[in-house]
Amino acid sequence: MRVIGTKACGLRTPIIRESDDLVAIVCQSVKDAIEHEKVSINDGDIIAVTEAVVARSQGNYATLDQIAADVRTKFSGGHVGVVFPILSRNRFAMLLKAIARGAEKITVQLSYPADEVGNQLISWEDVDDKNLNPYSDCLTEADYRRLFGQPKHRFTGVDYIEYYKSLGKNIEIVLCSDPKRIVQFTDQVIAADIHTRGRTKRAIAAAGAKKVISIDEILTQSVNGSGFNNLYGLLGSNKASEERVKLFPRDCEPFVQKMQKALIELTGKNVEVMIYGDGGFKDPVGGIWELADPVIAPAYTSGLKGTPNELKLKYLADNDFAGLSKDEARAAIEQAIRAKAGRDQMGKMESEGTTPRQLTDLLGSLCDLVSGSGDKGTPVVLIQGYFDNYSN
């Protein structure tokens, strides 16, 4: 049998710019890997492309003034609440600056002690020490300063309350983890959280708000020539410059289909394709959950649908086949793996501890770790042997 299982490697590309033919660039990078690195492409291999270069090649950008214009259209100015934004200079600061331009006054309600993805303003120990309940105790900025001083984020060194207030002269900050509290300040609200936005909107509407929208409802169509995302609006956007953000890519399904067709023509192999964004993993030290995009994989080809259907090798080795010799155990395990084909393992002890997640979520997390978010220059990831198992 082969002695190497799954492999993942980043493929270098030129810097991707607006209007570039991304399909052609990715194919050239695969061709270069074949010719210069002696990579052999096989059926079932996966080419994954980061959402950032897809959006950039599409020119899917918006200025802060274009975002502000959409906010004014939706709220007609006045006092607007912004509930549960994450603490991020890259992900949300630019959006807050734009929203502040589109309204007369902004009340930002932060959850505490941490935001949705785990960025801490303060620690739970601090909360306990002050005998606070984040879901019932609403703090003004003055209350927060009196109780906690001026703590800074442990990784970025930023005082996010001070920083967010600096983004507009019309911004005030309050802190409470109960979304309904915002209606004490205004009845026009933007739910700025990501994965919990549906629940947040329902709670605010039930509390009496006249209008509640979420971030994914801003820039769902072009405004004054802007880019847009009909599915996710501003969700998944990040800072491009001091006056512009890059949006999450749109029309992703046609891209992966076109990309797959081009790769099959290039290699003669049935290669699967996906677009990936943030991985779905959590930092065990800082407690920060990586996933600030609305989804891990906005599009993928049909061979990547579903969840893993795996057996736990160590369970079989320690239980079902514990009394067999090494060669007998290997043969029995290989037969058990072959016999599982087409059989759902849900609830069976021999699959306990395997990962019940979507394949694309697992693959996207792998890709995010391989490509990184810095200067590796590998926005394309080649994954090989992912669907292999011990019996191959």
Side-chain angles (χ1 to χ4, degrees):
M1 66 179 184
R2 295 198 303 274
V3 296
I4 296 178
T6 300
K7 297 184 290 184
C9 60
L11 301 185
R12 290 213 167 96
T13 70
I15 299 299
I16 309 299
R17 303 187 184 278
E18 294 182 46
S19 302
D20 279 351
D21 185 343
L22 186 57
V23 169
I25 291 172
V26 173
C27 282
Q28 184 61 52
S29 293
V30 173
K31 187 177 180 181
D32 289 344
I34 293 171
E35 294 178 353
H36 301 298
E37 304 291 345
K38 309 306 178 186
V39 171
S40 177
I41 303 298
N42 308 300
D43 289 331
D45 286 355
I46 302 162
I47 288 290
V49 184
T50 180
E51 59 82 21
V53 297
V54 178
R56 191 182 304 146
S57 68
Q58 293 173 340
N60 204 20
Y61 292 86
T63 67
L64 302 193
D65 286 340
Q66 289 166 335
I67 296 171
D70 201 21
V71 171
R72 281 192 296 271
T73 298
K74 289 178 166 57
F75 290 104
S76 301
H79 186 179
V80 176
V82 178
V83 176
F84 296 166
I86 64 172
L87 305 175
S88 173
R89 292 167 296 176
N90 177 47
R91 290 288 191 170
F92 188 73
M94 299 290 286
L95 304 187
L96 179 56
K97 188 187 295 187
I99 293 168
R101 292 181 187 180
E104 295 172 13
K105 182 177 180 179
I106 301 293
T107 297
V108 178
Q109 181 178 325
L110 300 176
S111 58
Y112 75 95
D115 68 10
E116 177 188 4
V117 297
N119 288 296
Q120 288 191 342
L121 283 167
I122 49 177
S123 70
W124 273 107
E125 288 77 11
D126 292 330
V127 172
D128 294 340
D129 181 60
K130 301 300 182 182
N131 197 29
L132 292 171
N133 181 343
Y135 298 94
S136 61
D137 296 327
C138 185
L139 306 179
T140 64
E141 182 185 356
D143 293 331
Y144 175 81
R145 296 301 185 195
R146 175 175 52 81
L147 291 167
F148 303 110
Q150 293 183 302
K152 296 181 179 180
H153 191 281
R154 64 181 298 181
F155 295 125
T156 66
V158 173
D159 180 334
Y160 277 97
I161 291 180
E162 180 180 41
Y163 176 56
Y164 276 6
K165 278 199 67 177
S166 73
L167 299 175
K169 294 182 179 179
N170 56 345
I171 297 174
E172 68 174 357
I173 307 287
V174 297
L175 298 95
C176 186
S177 295
D178 179 359
K180 299 188 293 295
R181 283 300 187 97
I182 193 65
V183 299
Q184 296 181 4
F185 300 91
T186 178
D187 57 9
Q188 298 186 112
V189 183
I190 299 172
D193 44 346
I194 305 163
H195 309 291
T196 53
R197 61 190 183 276
R199 182 171 183 264
T200 298
K201 286 173 62 179
R202 290 191 297 272
I204 295 170
K210 291 181 179 178
K211 184 162 189 179
V212 189
I213 67 171
S214 47
I215 289 293
D216 59 342
E217 296 175 271
I218 302 174
L219 280 197
T220 55
Q221 58 186 7
S222 181
V223 174
N224 300 333
S226 72
F228 65 96
N229 191 302
N230 58 309
L231 295 176
Y232 301 116
L234 292 177
L235 282 182
S237 62
N238 49 41
K239 182 178 181 178
S241 69
E242 293 302 322
E243 284 291 318
R244 197 166 73 145
V245 298
K246 179 193 66 62
L247 304 176
F248 210 53
R250 62 177 188 268
D251 303 324
C252 293
E253 190 65 31
F255 173 82
V256 296
Q257 298 301 330
K258 183 179 180 181
M259 187 80 255
Q260 184 181 50
K261 182 179 178 181
L263 288 169
I264 291 173
E265 291 175 355
L266 172 68
T267 66
K269 302 296 182 179
N270 184 29
V271 178
E272 302 292 345
V273 177
M274 65 180 286
I275 298 171
Y276 69 95
D278 282 343
F281 45 84
K282 185 175 182 178
D283 171 24
V285 176
I288 299 171
W289 187 34
E290 172 70 10
L291 186 54
D293 285 329
V295 291
I296 292 176
Y300 46 88
T301 50
S302 60
L304 301 180
K305 292 179 180 178
T307 58
N309 187 37
E310 299 177 334
L311 301 179
K312 198 76 168 178
L313 287 189
K314 62 184 180 183
Y315 178 86
L316 295 176
D318 290 341
N319 291 273
D320 293 22
F321 310 126
L324 301 181
S325 69
K326 183 182 295 186
D327 290 341
E328 290 172 334
R330 173 179 165 179
I333 288 173
E334 288 178 353
Q335 178 55 36
I337 293 172
R338 286 190 287 267
K340 76 173 183 180
R343 189 178 68 204
D344 188 1
Q345 300 300 318
M346 183 179 291
K348 293 183 170 57
M349 186 60 69
E350 61 265 28
S351 67
E352 187 177 79
T354 58
T355 308
R357 293 168 60 188
Q358 295 296 313
L359 288 167
T360 49
D361 290 344
L362 293 164
L363 289 163
S365 297
L366 172 61
C367 291
D368 192 18
L369 289 167
V370 170
S371 63
S373 58
D375 57 7
K376 287 183 170 59
T378 55
V380 179
V381 176
L382 168 64
I383 303 173
Q384 299 185 294
Y386 190 79
F387 298 105
D388 287 358
N389 58 50
Y390 189 70
S391 70
N392 297 134

